[in-house]
Each structure stands twice: as structure tokens, then as C-alpha cells.
Amino acid sequence: MAAVQTTSERALNKVAIVGVLIATIIFLAPIYWIVSTSFKPRNLATTIPPTVLFEPEISPFVKLVLRRSQLREQPSPEEYAAAPWWERLVFDGGEKVVRDGQGNVQLSGYPSRFVNSLIVAIVSTVLAVGMGTITAYGFSRFKVKGEQDWLFFILSTRMLPPVVVAIPMFLMYRAVGLNDTHLGLIILYTAFNLSFSVWLMKGFIDEIPREYEEAALVDGYTRMEAFFKVVLPEAATGIAATAVFCFITAWNEYAFALIMTRRTAQTAPPFIPSQVGSGLPDWTVIASGTFLFLLPVAIFTFLLRNHLLRGMSFGAIRK
């Protein structure tokens, strides 16, 4: 009987391993496709059947950061030879680099949109996590009248999808002059992430024994000193985990960025799909922009991976 059970367990383990491998392939296949397409020549991006083996090139990334237009006349051999290497890559794709009246190269809108995404995501994450931590500490350590009602009200701000409130927010922002501004997006993303931050941080702070603070108060610390020198270091794991989730939400947000911005404060998500080549969408440029857009989130999550793994269990709400 024991041998039968052992055989069954081995079979279940093999099935589980196969299931994990299949799920991994399913989840990683789109990422592989984006990365591979970003290094493909344009004529291989939409081939049927798909081209798997190819010679990688960086021309999609060059085109991503440069403003281009359709090439009406082929450059002469002398002009082609005198052009910089990155301009020759654009020539090879049947396009030319746009220059101003002084001959300076014009950049595309992607670099500025990428910087806008960094500014908005970082500032809104810092504000949401900071205010969420202070609010969660108040709910965790003090008796607040109607605490459960307040917590439910805070959570209710996440119950509606963003697109439902996009039009009212657009009208209000237009009335106060916050349309197409960094401040407007920062306020919006901070408010949207704040409820998540409060609920997640409350779970983390509830796990920190009150005795730590009581001992600090006995030693002469003020309540504020105890919060900064005792609670915050103990909650660092939870803060890191909350920051990762808030940053990912703000970084990937599309609907508000599309409706609330046009040029000055527009972030990368609504800009990337607008990249077109000569007459048709240039999927290699779109893929390269998507690949670069994935890097900050991947790097940020990788750097905080240890805190994130510990935080998933440290902040668990226990009954």
C-alpha cells in the first residue's frame, strides 16, 4: 500500500512539474515575443509563420528615439557614407531623420514620455506609501470612532474601474487647469493607490508588537520618535512590498494618462501604440518601446525581491 502511495505521489509531482512548466511558458511567451520583435528587422516582424531565428539589430531602438519621415529620394552614395551609423540604419528602413532649420536632429516623443512616466510613478508612489503608512499607523495604534466604516470608505474608492470616473475627473481637471500636467497625474495616481496602501500597511503594522513602542516611550522617546525609529524600521519589509505594487499600478496606468494628457505630461503607455512607420505600424519600434518600458519595473521589483517575498507573509491578516 505504501508503494502504491509513493508511486501516486511521484505521479502527482510529475504532473505538478509539467503544469508549472506549461504555466511558465504561457506567461513568458508574450515577454519573449516582445523582446525578440524589438530586435527584428521590420520585414520579419509580421511574417507567417513567425521568424524565430534571425540576426538581431538595434535599428528599432534608434528609430524609437528619433523623429522620422518617409524617404522620398534615396540618398546619394556620398551622403550615405557621410551619415552617422545611426542615420544609416534609418535610411536602410526607407526613412530619414527629421532635422530642424539649423540641422539639429529632432528626437521623437518617447524619451520625454518615458521621463514623464518616471516622474509621475516615483512621486505618486512615495506620496501614496508615505501617507498610507501614517494613516495605517493611526488606525492600527489608536482607537478611531467608526474605524471599520472609515476603512470601508477608503477601500470603496477602488471599487469602481478608473474609466468610470475618467470623464468627471477630466471635467474637474479642466475647470482647475490640471489637464496635461504632472501635478494632475500625480494627485490622481496618489489618490487611486492610497486606499491600497492604507489597507496593506495596516496589515503590516498590526503584526508589529506594541511592546516595542511602549519600551521606547518608557525610555523617553516621543510618539513621533518611536514611530520613526521603531515602527518604520520594523515595517520596512511591508513598505517595500507596498511600494512595488503602487509603482507597478502607476507605471502601467493607461486610461487616465490617455484622457487627462495630450503632450506635456503624457506618459509612455498611451504614446507607445501611436508609433507608426512609413504608412503602416512599425511593430519593431512599438516592441522596442514596450521592452524599454518593462525594464524599470523589472529592475525595481528585482532589487526589492527579498523584501517583497517576506512582505507577502509578514503582512498577512490573521483572524
Side-chain angles (χ1 to χ4, degrees), residues 120-135:
V120 172
I122 292 174
V123 175
S124 64
T125 297
V126 171
L127 292 176
V129 174
M131 291 189 290
T133 301
I134 296 174
T135 304

Side-chain angles (χ1 to χ4, degrees), residues 62-68 86 97-100 104-113 263 271 275:
V62 174
K63 295 178 182 178
L64 177 67
V65 299
L66 297 177
R67 183 171 297 175
R68 300 158 286 126
W86 43 266
V97 177
V98 176
R99 300 176 182 270
D100 60 15
N104 298 320
V105 174
Q106 296 291 296
L107 296 179
S108 70
Y110 185 83
S112 61
R113 267 70 171 189
R263 182 179 299 273
F271 178 79
Q275 290 298 290

Side-chain angles (χ1 to χ4, degrees), residues 13-202:
N13 289 336
K14 291 180 180 179
V15 172
I17 292 173
V18 172
V20 170
L21 290 176
I22 293 174
T24 302
I25 292 173
I26 292 174
F27 282 108
L28 293 182
I31 297 178
Y32 162 76
W33 208 256
I34 289 172
V35 175
S36 63
T37 303
S38 66
F39 288 95
K40 284 182 179 180
R42 185 178 179 182
N43 61 334
L44 299 181
T46 56
T47 56
I48 299 176
T51 303
V52 178
L53 299 178
F54 58 92
E55 184 178 352
E57 58 182 43
I58 62 171
S59 58
F61 295 92
V62 174
K63 295 178 182 178
L64 177 67
V65 299
L66 297 177
R67 183 171 297 175
R68 300 158 286 126
S69 64
Q70 188 172 3
L71 186 63
R72 301 184 182 277
E73 295 182 0
Q74 291 295 330
S76 64
E78 293 77 13
E79 292 176 342
Y80 185 87
W85 64 269
W86 43 266
E87 191 168 7
R88 291 198 295 268
L89 293 177
V90 178
F91 283 149
D92 293 340
E95 297 174 312
K96 64 178 181 179
V97 177
V98 176
R99 300 176 182 270
D100 60 15
Q102 287 74 36
N104 298 320
V105 174
Q106 296 291 296
L107 296 179
S108 70
Y110 185 83
S112 61
R113 267 70 171 189
F114 191 87
V115 172
N116 288 342
S117 291
L118 286 174
I119 294 173
V120 172
I122 292 174
V123 175
S124 64
T125 297
V126 171
L127 292 176
V129 174
M131 291 189 290
T133 301
I134 296 174
T135 304
Y137 178 76
F139 280 118
S140 178
R141 291 297 188 259
F142 303 103
K143 292 183 178 180
V144 180
K145 186 176 181 180
E147 174 182 341
Q148 297 302 319
D149 295 332
W150 281 110
L151 288 173
F152 178 78
F153 173 75
I154 293 173
L155 183 63
S156 66
T157 60
R158 292 294 295 265
M159 293 182 180
L160 289 175
V163 70
V164 174
V165 297
I167 301 303
M169 291 300 301
F170 173 79
L171 296 176
M172 288 190 292
Y173 269 39
R174 187 175 65 177
V176 297
L178 287 178
N179 271 348
D180 200 23
T181 62
H182 295 89
L183 179 60
L185 278 186
I186 290 172
I187 293 173
L188 202 56
Y189 291 172
T190 301
F192 189 71
N193 280 326
L194 187 58
S195 58
F196 175 81
S197 177
V198 170
W199 272 80
L200 198 58
M201 285 306 304
K202 186 178 184 302

Side-chain angles (χ1 to χ4, degrees), residues 129 200-201 204-205 208 231-245 304-315:
V129 174
L200 198 58
M201 285 306 304
F204 290 128
I205 295 176
I208 301 174
V231 177
L232 283 187
E234 291 293 327
T237 296
I239 293 173
T242 304
V244 168
F245 289 115
L304 298 180
R305 65 191 184 282
N306 294 330
H307 294 290
L308 183 61
L309 293 175
R310 290 199 299 267
M312 294 303 292
S313 59
F314 180 76

